[in-house]
Amino acid sequence: GESVGLHLPTLSVQEGDNSIINCAYSNSASDYFIWYKQESGKGPQFIIDIRSNMDKRQGQRVTVLLNKTVKHLSLQIAATQPGDSAVYFCAENFRNTGNQFYFGTGTSLTVIP
Amino acid sequence: DAEITQSPRHKITETGRQVTLACHQTWNHNNMFWYRQDLGHGLRLIHYSYGVHDTNKGEVSDGYSVSRSNTEDLPLTLESAASSQTSVYFCASKGAADEKLFFGSGTQLSVL
């Protein structure tokens, strides 16, 4: 099966700094990607998505970058806040699997006040 | 507001018992999914459904079953619970292709 992975399992940043979380995917046919945030004891929460016809997409304090050449996805969080502490994981979808998503194992982000 | 709810939030059962986890969504989504989440693994797909009376096996379907009698509900049944099925279970739903998945809050299941 396809794999979606994250380069670092944990990340600690100072409050106010920017955070970058990375994700590698292996299927060049993947055409839709999502970043999720999961706080302890809660379900995954949608942060931002991007389609394969885009390289960058911005939301509120978050930016997702897609590099199809090296099959790499990143999530940038600006001015990281304590409330950003959570596990972040990416998900990929490709049309030949219909509506199925494949998920990475996640990166645990800790924001140091 | 539309939502997806799971029940119970926590469940403790014994090996060999049948257990059913409920999932209910009010988005009128055709596509519903059950995942399990374990340390060291990403979310792994158990079963999914693309509409009423449609069910499909995911990558870790052994020991689980689902039924889809209406659009809103996709209950997950563990026929004979095993300790290896101790996990956190998430239900999710989505609309058309290229749309995001919405997740429930999860059910923590412990099989003793």
Side-chain angles (χ1 to χ4, degrees):
Chain A
E2 301 298 328
S3 66
V4 177
L6 292 166
H7 294 313
L8 297 173
T10 62
L11 178 65
S12 295
V13 298
Q14 290 290 140
E15 181 178 358
D17 287 351
N18 297 333
S19 303
I20 300 176
I21 301 171
N22 297 303
C23 177
Y25 64 95
S26 58
N27 191 335
S28 57
S30 294
D31 54 11
Y32 180 51
F33 305 86
I34 301 178
W35 278 102
Y36 284 93
K37 172 186 180 182
Q38 187 176 20
E39 297 174 278
S40 181
K42 296 184 178 180
Q45 179 185 5
F46 171 88
I47 302 173
I48 192 167
D49 60 358
I50 189 167
R51 303 188 191 283
S52 59
N53 61 352
M54 303 172 68
D55 298 323
K56 178 180 180 179
R57 192 169 187 211
Q58 290 184 289
Q60 187 177 10
R61 283 201 307 117
V62 294
T63 300
V64 55
L65 299 178
L66 176 62
N67 185 329
K68 295 181 285 293
T69 302
V70 294
K71 296 196 283 291
H72 184 266
L73 192 70
S74 69
L75 176 70
Q76 300 179 0
I77 305 174
T80 314
Q81 303 168 0
D84 294 328
S85 293
V87 173
Y88 293 81
F89 55 86
C90 62
E92 66 173 318
N93 172 256
F94 37 101
R95 290 187 179 273
N96 62 359
T97 65
N99 291 294
Q100 294 183 46
F101 281 85
Y102 294 86
F103 297 86
T105 53
T107 292
S108 177
L109 174 66
T110 300
V111 181
I112 303 166
Chain B
D1 287 344
E3 59 180 0
I4 180 167
T5 55
Q6 293 183 235
S7 62
R9 287 300 312 275
H10 304 275
K11 175 74 176 179
I12 300 174
T13 192
E14 297 177 341
T15 301
R17 289 190 179 270
Q18 183 182 78
V19 177
T20 297
L21 309 183
C23 176
H24 179 82
Q25 54 95 5
T26 58
W27 274 295
N28 201 35
H29 285 160
N30 284 326
N31 307 300
M32 296 185 72
F33 306 81
W34 273 104
Y35 295 91
R36 60 178 289 173
Q37 186 176 48
D38 305 285
L39 284 174
H41 295 274
L43 288 161
R44 291 185 290 173
L45 184 62
I46 305 171
H47 280 286
Y48 58 102
S49 170
Y50 290 160
V52 176
H53 303 310
D54 175 74
T55 60
N56 305 279
K57 294 181 178 180
E59 63 176 309
V60 291
S61 61
D62 287 349
Y64 304 93
S65 64
V66 293
S67 61
R68 188 88 181 270
S69 59
N70 57 52
T71 300
E72 296 80 17
D73 299 288
L74 187 70
L76 177 70
T77 297
L78 286 69
E79 303 295 342
S80 178
S83 57
S84 60
Q85 294 177 308
T86 292
S87 186
V88 180
Y89 292 86
F90 288 101
C91 181
S93 72
K94 71 189 297 287
D98 294 350
E99 291 188 9
K100 56 183 179 265
L101 274 173
F102 293 89
F103 284 89
S105 298
T107 294
Q108 171 71 62
L109 177 67
S110 297
V111 182
L112 307 178

